[in-house]
């Protein structure tokens, strides 16, 4: 795998906590959220045009739905999101509001199932969980997280990756055709000083990419968990990647200025921007939800 370009800031979104980039091929655009800024963004690479919508609560992710439309994971639950008019319609609450959790990061697998995590908004309690939504309804699949990130799946759909950010650990699960998880195990750990693993993405060779919050770079791991490559950034907090473009070799990365001091923000003027770099191994196509 070769990185064919240095990361370039293509949109100065000034996102406090940019997250969850999605490449929607039928739209030729990158969509992503600013969780703390409570906004959903859309960027058109061909024209450079950008749009933004206000969300009624912190949005952790957006997921495309087959046939059009979006599902947005907000702090208050799963909502249908209609860009035309900027409307949000509650589908279902996910957790008791007394937990003070919010939804954080989501993924649609090849069978159209939605996977997403919850996390403690204050980032102190182990109240977060991993969920699956499909035609059977909403199912809690794993618990005991403070900050969840991911998931992502292998090209053959047999392995699901999910991140415990504060534990600096990416886990792997066996994923059955029916969407059941088993055999939870450590896939990779980030060493002290390396930052915190954020959202993962998987390429066509089955390698796992992860952004590093407070780590200044992204990493690429082999399917066996071996570190293969690093890509440095001019900002500290890289949150998640998405593969886009006609051949899925343009990598888009969201970043954040959350947690930076005034001095650090001055030294990182591009923090919170959307970045792009080119690679020679494509990513996997963006899946769409079968049920919403």
């Amino acid at each position: 795998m070769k990185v064919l370009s240095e990361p370039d800031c293509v949109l100065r979104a000034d996102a406090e906590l940019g997250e969850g980039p999605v490449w929607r091929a039928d739209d030729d655009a990158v969509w992503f959220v600013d969780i703390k800024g409570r906004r959903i963004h859309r960027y058109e690479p061909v024209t450079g045009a950008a749009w933004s919508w206000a969300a009624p609560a912190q949005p952790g992710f957006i997921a495309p739905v087959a046939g059009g439309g979006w599902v947005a994971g907000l702090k208050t639950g799963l909502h249908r999101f209609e860009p035309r008019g900027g409307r949000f319609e509650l589908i279902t609450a996910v957790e008791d509001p007394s937990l003070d959790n919010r939804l954080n990061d989501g993924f649609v697998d090849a069978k159209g199932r939605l996977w997403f995590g919850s996390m403690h908004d204050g980032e102190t309690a182990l109240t977060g969980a991993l969920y699956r939504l499909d035609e059977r309804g909403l199912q809690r699949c794993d618990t005991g997280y403070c900050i969840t990130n991911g998931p992502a799946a292998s090209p053959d759909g047999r392995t699901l990756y999910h991140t415990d950010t504060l534990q600096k650990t990416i886990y792997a699960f066996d994923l059955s055709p029916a969407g059941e998880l088993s055999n939870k195990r450590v896939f990779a750990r980030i060493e002290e000083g390396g930052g915190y693993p954020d959202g993962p993405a998987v390429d066509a060779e089955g390698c796992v990419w992860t952004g590093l919050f407070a780590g200044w770079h992204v990493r690429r791991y082999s399917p066996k968990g071996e570190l293969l490559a690093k890509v440095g950034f001019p900002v500290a907090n890289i949150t998640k990647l998405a593969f886009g473009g006609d051949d899925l070799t343009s990598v888009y990365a969201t970043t954040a200025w959350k947690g930076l001091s005034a001095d650090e923000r001055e030294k990182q003027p591009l923090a919170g921007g959307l970045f792009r770099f080119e690679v020679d191994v494509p990513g996997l196509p963006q899946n769409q939800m079968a049920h919403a």
Side-chain angles (χ1 to χ4, degrees):
M1 194 283 306
K2 293 181 180 179
V3 176
L4 305 179
S5 65
E6 294 295 318
D8 178 43
C9 184
V10 295
L11 179 65
R12 292 197 176 200
D14 194 34
E16 182 174 357
L17 186 53
E19 181 63 274
V22 170
W23 172 258
R24 192 153 193 174
D26 58 5
D27 193 34
D28 285 327
V30 182
W31 296 71
F32 63 100
V33 302
D34 178 358
I35 298 172
K36 294 301 181 181
R38 297 189 181 187
R39 301 203 68 85
I40 293 173
H41 295 280
R42 176 182 180 271
Y43 167 72
E44 248 179 33
V46 173
T47 65
W51 291 262
S52 180
W53 294 263
Q58 294 179 77
F61 65 87
I62 54 172
V65 179
W70 298 86
V71 166
L74 307 185
K75 183 170 182 176
T76 48
L78 298 174
H79 293 68
R80 290 183 180 86
F81 166 56
E82 174 50 62
R84 184 175 297 176
R87 295 186 300 273
F88 292 82
E89 177 187 354
L90 180 66
I91 299 171
T92 183
V94 175
E95 295 179 329
D96 190 321
S98 66
L99 293 174
D100 193 26
N101 280 359
R102 64 173 173 82
L103 304 187
N104 192 59
D105 211 0
F107 165 76
V108 182
D109 70 17
K111 293 184 179 292
R113 298 176 290 230
L114 174 66
W115 298 85
F116 64 93
S118 67
M119 60 167 280
H120 186 239
D121 205 8
E123 302 181 8
T124 59
L126 300 178
T127 50
L130 171 62
Y131 291 89
R132 182 194 69 225
L133 177 69
D134 59 16
E135 72 279 2
R136 297 167 290 183
L138 188 63
Q139 177 67 42
R140 184 180 297 174
C141 299
D142 197 26
T143 60
Y145 297 86
C146 181
I147 300 177
T148 58
N149 267 296
S154 60
D156 63 8
R158 296 180 179 178
T159 303
L160 188 87
Y161 301 99
H162 192 234
T163 299
D164 186 327
T165 294
L166 287 191
Q167 293 299 315
K168 297 187 173 187
T169 302
I170 302 171
Y171 291 102
F173 297 80
D174 290 343
L175 175 61
S176 77
E180 302 301 326
L181 300 181
S182 61
N183 189 26
K184 181 180 181 180
R185 56 201 181 272
V186 173
F187 172 73
R189 291 191 194 275
I190 306 301
E191 74 283 357
E192 191 64 32
Y196 295 85
D198 212 297
V202 178
D203 65 27
E205 291 182 348
C207 293
V208 178
W209 291 77
T210 184
L212 290 170
F213 201 94
W216 295 90
H217 66 281
V218 302
R219 292 185 179 184
R220 183 181 190 244
Y221 289 90
S222 77
K224 295 182 179 180
E226 305 159 323
L227 179 59
L228 299 179
K230 298 180 181 181
V231 181
F233 275 68
V235 297
N237 302 328
I238 302 93
T239 52
K240 193 171 183 177
L241 311 177
F243 292 84
D246 292 340
D247 57 3
L248 298 178
T249 58
S250 295
V251 183
Y252 292 91
T254 46
T255 66
W257 57 259
K258 179 180 181 289
L260 299 182
S261 67
D263 182 59
E264 288 171 328
R265 287 194 67 186
E266 186 176 350
K267 293 176 180 177
Q268 300 177 45
L270 300 178
L274 178 69
F275 286 77
R276 180 178 62 209
F277 60 94
E278 305 296 323
V279 293
D280 61 352
V281 175
L284 300 174
Q286 172 66 47
N287 301 308
Q288 300 185 347
M289 290 180 61
H291 302 274

